[in-house]
Amino acid sequence: QHSSPAATGRYPAVWRRAMAVAERFEKGDRVLILQGRHNALNHKESYASGEHGTVIDTKPNSSVLSVRLDGKHGKYGNYRVVECVLPHIERPVQHRVVDVSALHLRKQNEAKQGDFIVVQAENGDVLGQVLEVSMISGSFLVQPYKVDAKRVCWPLEHRPWHPEEGPLELSMELPYCHVHLDLVDSVMAPKLGKILCLRPCDVHRLREEGLLMDSGEPQREPPKGARALALEAGVICPGHP
């Protein structure tokens, strides 16, 4: 009678090497795909070199990770789904979820030019876009974004963000997290037209970690082990207490 590797805990050497790599990835890690794979029978197992995203789930004793791909070739949200072949109709989508081998991934948690981040600065939390990264000085130049005071009470996923005057030079040692801003039609005030809003997936992730609360929500303690970066509605906006 033969027992499975999962039951005995005895895995072939190649499996052990793959799982050792997988253990270095955690939920929330940003990753870059180094080697593509194509599965004609399962689109969820197909991905290309150069796509980037975020690890959303890991499994014990497995080298396969669930990754939300946010874009490709250094851009964000540049995916399309074919809804009809004749006539050919495509619909833009922000991201897609795939199952990726850990052997095909590389961590990419460091902030790079063009990223939107939230930084816990000395004068309060700052949401902004990275303009320049200096490895020599250990700092990055960030263009702050803010929400008008009269719209700070809107649900976070519908608040319009726009640049403030003057970039800030911030230390890379400060706690920060990555977010995405997309150009979408305003839901709360259609007359505004296209506005920059946080992606729903970012709002959901921050709420899960107890780092973000909308105005009017009951105050609650963040879960044990949550990072020090506390993003609350009104605190996230630079210049607003």
Side-chain angles (χ1 to χ4, degrees), residues 15-58:
W15 289 19
R16 291 198 299 271
R17 287 197 296 270
M19 287 186 287
V21 173
E23 289 175 358
R24 294 203 295 264
F25 291 93
E26 298 178 357
K27 184 178 179 181
D29 281 342
R30 296 209 315 164
V31 293
L32 174 68
I33 295 180
L34 300 179
Q35 180 179 334
R37 183 175 187 269
H38 179 70
N39 186 339
L41 301 179
N42 188 351
H43 182 64
K44 196 176 180 182
E45 295 181 357
S46 298
Y47 43 87
S49 174
E51 293 187 274
H52 55 89
T54 305
V55 176
I56 59 175
D57 192 23
T58 60

mmCIF file of all heavy atoms in Angstrom, residues 15-58:
data_model
loop_
_atom_site.group_PDB
_atom_site.id
_atom_site.type_symbol
_atom_site.label_atom_id
_atom_site.label_comp_id
_atom_site.label_asym_id
_atom_site.label_seq_id
_atom_site.Cartn_x
_atom_site.Cartn_y
_atom_site.Cartn_z
ATOM 1 N N TRP A 15 9.980 19.039 -5.364
ATOM 2 C CA TRP A 15 8.817 19.616 -4.699
ATOM 3 C C TRP A 15 9.242 20.441 -3.500
ATOM 4 O O TRP A 15 8.717 21.509 -3.243
ATOM 5 C CB TRP A 15 7.863 18.503 -4.249
ATOM 6 C CG TRP A 15 7.139 17.809 -5.360
ATOM 7 C CD1 TRP A 15 7.475 17.795 -6.686
ATOM 8 C CD2 TRP A 15 5.967 16.996 -5.233
ATOM 9 N NE1 TRP A 15 6.593 17.025 -7.393
ATOM 10 C CE2 TRP A 15 5.649 16.527 -6.533
ATOM 11 C CE3 TRP A 15 5.172 16.617 -4.160
ATOM 12 C CZ2 TRP A 15 4.563 15.701 -6.781
ATOM 13 C CZ3 TRP A 15 4.092 15.794 -4.404
ATOM 14 C CH2 TRP A 15 3.788 15.343 -5.693
ATOM 15 N N ARG A 16 10.214 19.912 -2.719
ATOM 16 C CA ARG A 16 10.669 20.630 -1.527
ATOM 17 C C ARG A 16 11.296 21.966 -1.896
ATOM 18 O O ARG A 16 11.109 22.968 -1.209
ATOM 19 C CB ARG A 16 11.665 19.768 -0.754
ATOM 20 C CG ARG A 16 11.047 18.534 -0.100
ATOM 21 C CD ARG A 16 11.965 17.986 0.982
ATOM 22 N NE ARG A 16 13.252 17.584 0.449
ATOM 23 C CZ ARG A 16 13.518 16.368 -0.022
ATOM 24 N NH1 ARG A 16 12.578 15.441 -0.044
ATOM 25 N NH2 ARG A 16 14.730 16.082 -0.471
ATOM 26 N N ARG A 17 12.050 22.009 -2.994
ATOM 27 C CA ARG A 17 12.656 23.270 -3.430
ATOM 28 C C ARG A 17 11.582 24.273 -3.816
ATOM 29 O O ARG A 17 11.663 25.459 -3.503
ATOM 30 C CB ARG A 17 13.607 23.019 -4.603
ATOM 31 C CG ARG A 17 14.908 22.336 -4.209
ATOM 32 C CD ARG A 17 15.934 22.501 -5.314
ATOM 33 N NE ARG A 17 15.508 21.839 -6.541
ATOM 34 C CZ ARG A 17 15.809 20.569 -6.826
ATOM 35 N NH1 ARG A 17 16.511 19.834 -5.971
ATOM 36 N NH2 ARG A 17 15.406 20.030 -7.959
ATOM 37 N N ALA A 18 10.554 23.802 -4.515
ATOM 38 C CA ALA A 18 9.472 24.696 -4.942
ATOM 39 C C ALA A 18 8.717 25.246 -3.739
ATOM 40 O O ALA A 18 8.390 26.429 -3.676
ATOM 41 C CB ALA A 18 8.511 23.955 -5.872
ATOM 42 N N MET A 19 8.455 24.380 -2.750
ATOM 43 C CA MET A 19 7.707 24.827 -1.570
ATOM 44 C C MET A 19 8.537 25.765 -0.712
ATOM 45 O O MET A 19 8.016 26.656 -0.062
ATOM 46 C CB MET A 19 7.248 23.617 -0.756
ATOM 47 C CG MET A 19 6.104 22.853 -1.421
ATOM 48 S SD MET A 19 5.427 21.535 -0.399
ATOM 49 C CE MET A 19 6.735 20.337 -0.489
ATOM 50 N N ALA A 20 9.860 25.586 -0.723
ATOM 51 C CA ALA A 20 10.725 26.491 0.023
ATOM 52 C C ALA A 20 10.656 27.888 -0.556
ATOM 53 O O ALA A 20 10.663 28.889 0.163
ATOM 54 C CB ALA A 20 12.166 25.981 -0.013
ATOM 55 N N VAL A 21 10.551 27.971 -1.877
ATOM 56 C CA VAL A 21 10.392 29.276 -2.519
ATOM 57 C C VAL A 21 9.046 29.881 -2.155
ATOM 58 O O VAL A 21 8.922 31.059 -1.850
ATOM 59 C CB VAL A 21 10.532 29.148 -4.050
ATOM 60 C CG1 VAL A 21 10.207 30.476 -4.721
ATOM 61 C CG2 VAL A 21 11.951 28.710 -4.413
ATOM 62 N N ALA A 22 7.991 29.047 -2.158
ATOM 63 C CA ALA A 22 6.643 29.546 -1.891
ATOM 64 C C ALA A 22 6.535 30.132 -0.493
ATOM 65 O O ALA A 22 5.784 31.066 -0.270
ATOM 66 C CB ALA A 22 5.628 28.428 -2.077
ATOM 67 N N GLU A 23 7.292 29.583 0.464
ATOM 68 C CA GLU A 23 7.195 30.048 1.842
ATOM 69 C C GLU A 23 7.683 31.487 1.995
ATOM 70 O O GLU A 23 7.393 32.137 2.980
ATOM 71 C CB GLU A 23 7.992 29.121 2.752
ATOM 72 C CG GLU A 23 7.338 27.743 2.934
ATOM 73 C CD GLU A 23 8.217 26.801 3.737
ATOM 74 O OE1 GLU A 23 9.333 27.215 4.098
ATOM 75 O OE2 GLU A 23 7.798 25.655 3.969
ATOM 76 N N ARG A 24 8.442 31.989 1.039
ATOM 77 C CA ARG A 24 8.964 33.348 1.137
ATOM 78 C C ARG A 24 7.929 34.392 0.718
ATOM 79 O O ARG A 24 8.146 35.571 0.888
ATOM 80 C CB ARG A 24 10.227 33.492 0.277
ATOM 81 C CG ARG A 24 11.401 32.669 0.778
ATOM 82 C CD ARG A 24 12.709 33.246 0.284
ATOM 83 N NE ARG A 24 12.833 33.167 -1.151
ATOM 84 C CZ ARG A 24 13.458 32.196 -1.802
ATOM 85 N NH1 ARG A 24 13.977 31.181 -1.121
ATOM 86 N NH2 ARG A 24 13.565 32.210 -3.105
ATOM 87 N N PHE A 25 6.841 33.946 0.134
ATOM 88 C CA PHE A 25 5.790 34.869 -0.290
ATOM 89 C C PHE A 25 4.677 34.893 0.741
ATOM 90 O O PHE A 25 4.309 33.852 1.287
ATOM 91 C CB PHE A 25 5.218 34.461 -1.659
ATOM 92 C CG PHE A 25 6.179 34.653 -2.793
ATOM 93 C CD1 PHE A 25 6.996 33.616 -3.206
ATOM 94 C CD2 PHE A 25 6.265 35.872 -3.444
ATOM 95 C CE1 PHE A 25 7.880 33.785 -4.251
ATOM 96 C CE2 PHE A 25 7.151 36.048 -4.490
ATOM 97 C CZ PHE A 25 7.961 35.000 -4.900
ATOM 98 N N GLU A 26 4.157 36.079 0.993
ATOM 99 C CA GLU A 26 3.056 36.232 1.929
ATOM 100 C C GLU A 26 1.917 36.993 1.257
ATOM 101 O O GLU A 26 2.113 37.683 0.256
ATOM 102 C CB GLU A 26 3.517 36.993 3.173
ATOM 103 C CG GLU A 26 4.612 36.297 3.969
ATOM 104 C CD GLU A 26 5.051 37.117 5.161
ATOM 105 O OE1 GLU A 26 4.533 38.248 5.315
ATOM 106 O OE2 GLU A 26 5.903 36.643 5.934
ATOM 107 N N LYS A 27 0.754 36.861 1.829
ATOM 108 C CA LYS A 27 -0.406 37.585 1.336
ATOM 109 C C LYS A 27 -0.144 39.087 1.391
ATOM 110 O O LYS A 27 0.298 39.610 2.415
ATOM 111 C CB LYS A 27 -1.640 37.235 2.175
ATOM 112 C CG LYS A 27 -2.929 37.870 1.690
ATOM 113 C CD LYS A 27 -4.100 37.427 2.546
ATOM 114 C CE LYS A 27 -5.395 38.081 2.090
ATOM 115 N NZ LYS A 27 -6.545 37.672 2.928
ATOM 116 N N GLY A 28 -0.369 39.774 0.287
ATOM 117 C CA GLY A 28 -0.129 41.210 0.219
ATOM 118 C C GLY A 28 1.156 41.580 -0.492
ATOM 119 O O GLY A 28 1.354 42.748 -0.841
ATOM 120 N N ASP A 29 2.059 40.599 -0.722
ATOM 121 C CA ASP A 29 3.303 40.883 -1.444
ATOM 122 C C ASP A 29 3.005 41.288 -2.885
ATOM 123 O O ASP A 29 2.164 40.686 -3.556
ATOM 124 C CB ASP A 29 4.214 39.655 -1.455
ATOM 125 C CG ASP A 29 4.965 39.464 -0.155
ATOM 126 O OD1 ASP A 29 5.050 40.443 0.608
ATOM 127 O OD2 ASP A 29 5.454 38.353 0.094
ATOM 128 N N ARG A 30 3.713 42.299 -3.359
ATOM 129 C CA ARG A 30 3.641 42.662 -4.776
ATOM 130 C C ARG A 30 4.673 41.826 -5.523
ATOM 131 O O ARG A 30 5.804 41.646 -5.068
ATOM 132 C CB ARG A 30 3.911 44.142 -4.973
ATOM 133 C CG ARG A 30 2.858 45.021 -4.329
ATOM 134 C CD ARG A 30 2.684 46.328 -5.050
ATOM 135 N NE ARG A 30 3.950 46.948 -5.384
ATOM 136 C CZ ARG A 30 4.069 47.934 -6.266
ATOM 137 N NH1 ARG A 30 3.031 48.382 -6.887
ATOM 138 N NH2 ARG A 30 5.255 48.473 -6.499
ATOM 139 N N VAL A 31 4.284 41.309 -6.674
ATOM 140 C CA VAL A 31 5.153 40.391 -7.401
ATOM 141 C C VAL A 31 5.193 40.734 -8.890
ATOM 142 O O VAL A 31 4.283 41.370 -9.428
ATOM 143 C CB VAL A 31 4.686 38.927 -7.222
ATOM 144 C CG1 VAL A 31 4.871 38.466 -5.788
ATOM 145 C CG2 VAL A 31 3.228 38.769 -7.644
ATOM 146 N N LEU A 32 6.274 40.282 -9.522
ATOM 147 C CA LEU A 32 6.470 40.416 -10.964
ATOM 148 C C LEU A 32 6.658 39.022 -11.542
ATOM 149 O O LEU A 32 7.418 38.215 -11.003
ATOM 150 C CB LEU A 32 7.695 41.277 -11.263
ATOM 151 C CG LEU A 32 8.115 41.406 -12.735
ATOM 152 C CD1 LEU A 32 7.072 42.209 -13.507
ATOM 153 C CD2 LEU A 32 9.485 42.052 -12.847
ATOM 154 N N ILE A 33 5.963 38.723 -12.641
ATOM 155 C CA ILE A 33 6.098 37.421 -13.295
ATOM 156 C C ILE A 33 7.329 37.429 -14.192
ATOM 157 O O ILE A 33 7.444 38.263 -15.098
ATOM 158 C CB ILE A 33 4.834 37.076 -14.102
ATOM 159 C CG1 ILE A 33 3.637 36.900 -13.163
ATOM 160 C CG2 ILE A 33 5.047 35.804 -14.923
ATOM 161 C CD1 ILE A 33 2.344 36.548 -13.861
ATOM 162 N N LEU A 34 8.244 36.509 -13.912
ATOM 163 C CA LEU A 34 9.483 36.420 -14.679
ATOM 164 C C LEU A 34 9.380 35.433 -15.836
ATOM 165 O O LEU A 34 10.038 35.595 -16.858
ATOM 166 C CB LEU A 34 10.643 35.998 -13.762
ATOM 167 C CG LEU A 34 10.947 36.927 -12.578
ATOM 168 C CD1 LEU A 34 12.090 36.355 -11.758
ATOM 169 C CD2 LEU A 34 11.290 38.321 -13.074
ATOM 170 N N GLN A 35 8.555 34.405 -15.672
ATOM 171 C CA GLN A 35 8.415 33.372 -16.702
ATOM 172 C C GLN A 35 6.943 33.084 -16.929
ATOM 173 O O GLN A 35 6.194 32.830 -15.981
ATOM 174 C CB GLN A 35 9.145 32.091 -16.279
ATOM 175 C CG GLN A 35 9.049 30.969 -17.290
ATOM 176 C CD GLN A 35 9.802 29.727 -16.845
ATOM 177 O OE1 GLN A 35 10.758 29.838 -16.070
ATOM 178 N NE2 GLN A 35 9.392 28.558 -17.315
ATOM 179 N N GLY A 36 6.515 33.146 -18.164
ATOM 180 C CA GLY A 36 5.116 32.945 -18.502
ATOM 181 C C GLY A 36 4.748 31.470 -18.602
ATOM 182 O O GLY A 36 5.597 30.585 -18.652
ATOM 183 N N ARG A 37 3.452 31.226 -18.634
ATOM 184 C CA ARG A 37 2.918 29.865 -18.776
ATOM 185 C C ARG A 37 1.589 29.947 -19.496
ATOM 186 O O ARG A 37 0.816 30.889 -19.278
ATOM 187 C CB ARG A 37 2.733 29.211 -17.402
ATOM 188 C CG ARG A 37 2.242 27.769 -17.443
ATOM 189 C CD ARG A 37 2.207 27.180 -16.033
ATOM 190 N NE ARG A 37 1.895 25.769 -16.029
ATOM 191 C CZ ARG A 37 0.657 25.271 -15.942
ATOM 192 N NH1 ARG A 37 -0.382 26.101 -15.823
ATOM 193 N NH2 ARG A 37 0.447 23.975 -15.951
ATOM 194 N N HIS A 38 1.307 28.961 -20.369
ATOM 195 C CA HIS A 38 0.038 28.953 -21.099
ATOM 196 C C HIS A 38 -0.634 27.601 -20.940
ATOM 197 O O HIS A 38 -0.041 26.554 -21.204
ATOM 198 C CB HIS A 38 0.261 29.240 -22.585
ATOM 199 C CG HIS A 38 -1.018 29.208 -23.387
ATOM 200 N ND1 HIS A 38 -2.000 30.176 -23.260
ATOM 201 C CD2 HIS A 38 -1.465 28.323 -24.312
ATOM 202 C CE1 HIS A 38 -2.999 29.891 -24.070
ATOM 203 N NE2 HIS A 38 -2.707 28.777 -24.714
ATOM 204 N N ASN A 39 -1.856 27.621 -20.455
ATOM 205 C CA ASN A 39 -2.680 26.424 -20.335
ATOM 206 C C ASN A 39 -3.935 26.642 -21.165
ATOM 207 O O ASN A 39 -4.810 27.424 -20.796
ATOM 208 C CB ASN A 39 -3.034 26.159 -18.867
ATOM 209 C CG ASN A 39 -3.765 24.844 -18.672
ATOM 210 O OD1 ASN A 39 -4.353 24.294 -19.597
ATOM 211 N ND2 ASN A 39 -3.733 24.311 -17.448
ATOM 212 N N ALA A 40 -4.008 25.953 -22.291
ATOM 213 C CA ALA A 40 -5.134 26.151 -23.216
ATOM 214 C C ALA A 40 -6.459 25.702 -22.618
ATOM 215 O O ALA A 40 -7.520 26.154 -23.059
ATOM 216 C CB ALA A 40 -4.866 25.395 -24.517
ATOM 217 N N LEU A 41 -6.421 24.840 -21.604
ATOM 218 C CA LEU A 41 -7.642 24.306 -21.009
ATOM 219 C C LEU A 41 -8.104 25.102 -19.796
ATOM 220 O O LEU A 41 -9.234 24.956 -19.355
ATOM 221 C CB LEU A 41 -7.435 22.836 -20.618
ATOM 222 C CG LEU A 41 -7.063 21.887 -21.761
ATOM 223 C CD1 LEU A 41 -6.863 20.471 -21.230
ATOM 224 C CD2 LEU A 41 -8.134 21.904 -22.846
ATOM 225 N N ASN A 42 -7.206 25.917 -19.227
ATOM 226 C CA ASN A 42 -7.563 26.679 -18.026
ATOM 227 C C ASN A 42 -6.916 28.059 -18.098
ATOM 228 O O ASN A 42 -5.722 28.208 -17.870
ATOM 229 C CB ASN A 42 -7.102 25.934 -16.765
ATOM 230 C CG ASN A 42 -7.612 26.568 -15.487
ATOM 231 O OD1 ASN A 42 -8.188 27.668 -15.507
ATOM 232 N ND2 ASN A 42 -7.410 25.908 -14.364
ATOM 233 N N HIS A 43 -7.735 29.055 -18.417
ATOM 234 C CA HIS A 43 -7.214 30.422 -18.565
ATOM 235 C C HIS A 43 -6.645 30.947 -17.254
ATOM 236 O O HIS A 43 -5.754 31.802 -17.260
ATOM 237 C CB HIS A 43 -8.325 31.352 -19.064
ATOM 238 C CG HIS A 43 -7.868 32.758 -19.288
ATOM 239 N ND1 HIS A 43 -6.939 33.102 -20.238
ATOM 240 C CD2 HIS A 43 -8.200 33.921 -18.660
ATOM 241 C CE1 HIS A 43 -6.719 34.402 -20.212
ATOM 242 N NE2 HIS A 43 -7.464 34.925 -19.259
ATOM 243 N N LYS A 44 -7.116 30.416 -16.125
ATOM 244 C CA LYS A 44 -6.643 30.892 -14.820
ATOM 245 C C LYS A 44 -5.199 30.473 -14.559
ATOM 246 O O LYS A 44 -4.549 30.999 -13.660
ATOM 247 C CB LYS A 44 -7.560 30.368 -13.713
ATOM 248 C CG LYS A 44 -7.406 31.087 -12.383
ATOM 249 C CD LYS A 44 -8.412 30.600 -11.359
ATOM 250 C CE LYS A 44 -8.226 31.331 -10.032
ATOM 251 N NZ LYS A 44 -9.162 30.842 -8.984
ATOM 252 N N GLU A 45 -4.692 29.535 -15.340
ATOM 253 C CA GLU A 45 -3.308 29.090 -15.191
ATOM 254 C C GLU A 45 -2.427 29.617 -16.319
ATOM 255 O O GLU A 45 -1.334 29.091 -16.559
ATOM 256 C CB GLU A 45 -3.251 27.564 -15.141
ATOM 257 C CG GLU A 45 -3.934 26.969 -13.912
ATOM 258 C CD GLU A 45 -3.847 25.455 -13.877
ATOM 259 O OE1 GLU A 45 -3.305 24.873 -14.847
ATOM 260 O OE2 GLU A 45 -4.322 24.855 -12.901
ATOM 261 N N SER A 46 -2.915 30.655 -17.008
ATOM 262 C CA SER A 46 -2.139 31.263 -18.093
ATOM 263 C C SER A 46 -1.731 32.675 -17.702
ATOM 264 O O SER A 46 -2.555 33.467 -17.243
ATOM 265 C CB SER A 46 -2.968 31.306 -19.388
ATOM 266 O OG SER A 46 -3.305 29.998 -19.807
ATOM 267 N N TYR A 47 -0.453 32.986 -17.881
ATOM 268 C CA TYR A 47 0.067 34.312 -17.553
ATOM 269 C C TYR A 47 1.323 34.539 -18.373
ATOM 270 O O TYR A 47 1.913 33.591 -18.918
ATOM 271 C CB TYR A 47 0.351 34.445 -16.055
ATOM 272 C CG TYR A 47 1.030 33.246 -15.439
ATOM 273 C CD1 TYR A 47 2.429 33.114 -15.445
ATOM 274 C CD2 TYR A 47 0.287 32.228 -14.841
ATOM 275 C CE1 TYR A 47 3.058 32.013 -14.881
ATOM 276 C CE2 TYR A 47 0.914 31.126 -14.279
ATOM 277 C CZ TYR A 47 2.294 31.015 -14.297
ATOM 278 O OH TYR A 47 2.912 29.925 -13.748
ATOM 279 N N ALA A 48 1.731 35.799 -18.484
ATOM 280 C CA ALA A 48 2.854 36.155 -19.350
ATOM 281 C C ALA A 48 3.941 36.865 -18.562
ATOM 282 O O ALA A 48 3.675 37.538 -17.559
ATOM 283 C CB ALA A 48 2.378 37.039 -20.501
ATOM 284 N N SER A 49 5.158 36.737 -19.026
ATOM 285 C CA SER A 49 6.281 37.444 -18.420
ATOM 286 C C SER A 49 6.062 38.949 -18.529
ATOM 287 O O SER A 49 5.629 39.459 -19.564
ATOM 288 C CB SER A 49 7.576 37.053 -19.139
ATOM 289 O OG SER A 49 8.658 37.822 -18.676
ATOM 290 N N GLY A 50 6.329 39.657 -17.434
ATOM 291 C CA GLY A 50 6.146 41.107 -17.428
ATOM 292 C C GLY A 50 4.875 41.562 -16.757
ATOM 293 O O GLY A 50 4.737 42.749 -16.435
ATOM 294 N N GLU A 51 3.938 40.650 -16.500
ATOM 295 C CA GLU A 51 2.730 41.024 -15.762
ATOM 296 C C GLU A 51 3.082 41.175 -14.286
ATOM 297 O O GLU A 51 3.982 40.520 -13.767
ATOM 298 C CB GLU A 51 1.635 39.974 -15.946
ATOM 299 C CG GLU A 51 1.094 39.894 -17.360
ATOM 300 C CD GLU A 51 -0.099 38.964 -17.469
ATOM 301 O OE1 GLU A 51 0.130 37.752 -17.637
ATOM 302 O OE2 GLU A 51 -1.245 39.438 -17.383
ATOM 303 N N HIS A 52 2.364 42.053 -13.597
ATOM 304 C CA HIS A 52 2.643 42.302 -12.179
ATOM 305 C C HIS A 52 1.338 42.350 -11.404
ATOM 306 O O HIS A 52 0.273 42.632 -11.956
ATOM 307 C CB HIS A 52 3.415 43.618 -12.003
ATOM 308 C CG HIS A 52 2.741 44.806 -12.610
ATOM 309 N ND1 HIS A 52 1.836 45.584 -11.920
ATOM 310 C CD2 HIS A 52 2.828 45.349 -13.852
ATOM 311 C CE1 HIS A 52 1.397 46.553 -12.704
ATOM 312 N NE2 HIS A 52 1.982 46.439 -13.881
ATOM 313 N N GLY A 53 1.433 42.055 -10.102
ATOM 314 C CA GLY A 53 0.221 42.045 -9.300
ATOM 315 C C GLY A 53 0.507 41.861 -7.825
ATOM 316 O O GLY A 53 1.607 42.141 -7.344
ATOM 317 N N THR A 54 -0.499 41.343 -7.111
ATOM 318 C CA THR A 54 -0.440 41.203 -5.656
ATOM 319 C C THR A 54 -0.873 39.803 -5.251
ATOM 320 O O THR A 54 -1.870 39.290 -5.761
ATOM 321 C CB THR A 54 -1.368 42.241 -4.982
ATOM 322 O OG1 THR A 54 -1.024 43.546 -5.439
ATOM 323 C CG2 THR A 54 -1.239 42.181 -3.473
ATOM 324 N N VAL A 55 -0.126 39.194 -4.335
ATOM 325 C CA VAL A 55 -0.495 37.874 -3.813
ATOM 326 C C VAL A 55 -1.721 38.022 -2.921
ATOM 327 O O VAL A 55 -1.718 38.799 -1.969
ATOM 328 C CB VAL A 55 0.668 37.257 -3.010
ATOM 329 C CG1 VAL A 55 0.239 35.923 -2.394
ATOM 330 C CG2 VAL A 55 1.892 37.070 -3.889
ATOM 331 N N ILE A 56 -2.777 37.294 -3.243
ATOM 332 C CA ILE A 56 -4.011 37.402 -2.455
ATOM 333 C C ILE A 56 -4.284 36.144 -1.639
ATOM 334 O O ILE A 56 -5.138 36.159 -0.752
ATOM 335 C CB ILE A 56 -5.235 37.717 -3.344
ATOM 336 C CG1 ILE A 56 -5.437 36.633 -4.397
ATOM 337 C CG2 ILE A 56 -5.079 39.076 -3.996
ATOM 338 C CD1 ILE A 56 -6.703 36.828 -5.223
ATOM 339 N N ASP A 57 -3.556 35.051 -1.935
ATOM 340 C CA ASP A 57 -3.767 33.837 -1.142
ATOM 341 C C ASP A 57 -2.571 32.903 -1.326
ATOM 342 O O ASP A 57 -2.000 32.809 -2.408
ATOM 343 C CB ASP A 57 -5.051 33.122 -1.570
ATOM 344 C CG ASP A 57 -5.447 32.028 -0.591
ATOM 345 O OD1 ASP A 57 -5.028 32.101 0.575
ATOM 346 O OD2 ASP A 57 -6.180 31.103 -0.999
ATOM 347 N N THR A 58 -2.177 32.254 -0.238
ATOM 348 C CA THR A 58 -1.135 31.231 -0.265
ATOM 349 C C THR A 58 -1.692 29.964 0.360
ATOM 350 O O THR A 58 -2.587 30.029 1.204
ATOM 351 C CB THR A 58 0.121 31.678 0.504
ATOM 352 O OG1 THR A 58 -0.245 31.921 1.878
ATOM 353 C CG2 THR A 58 0.707 32.956 -0.085
#
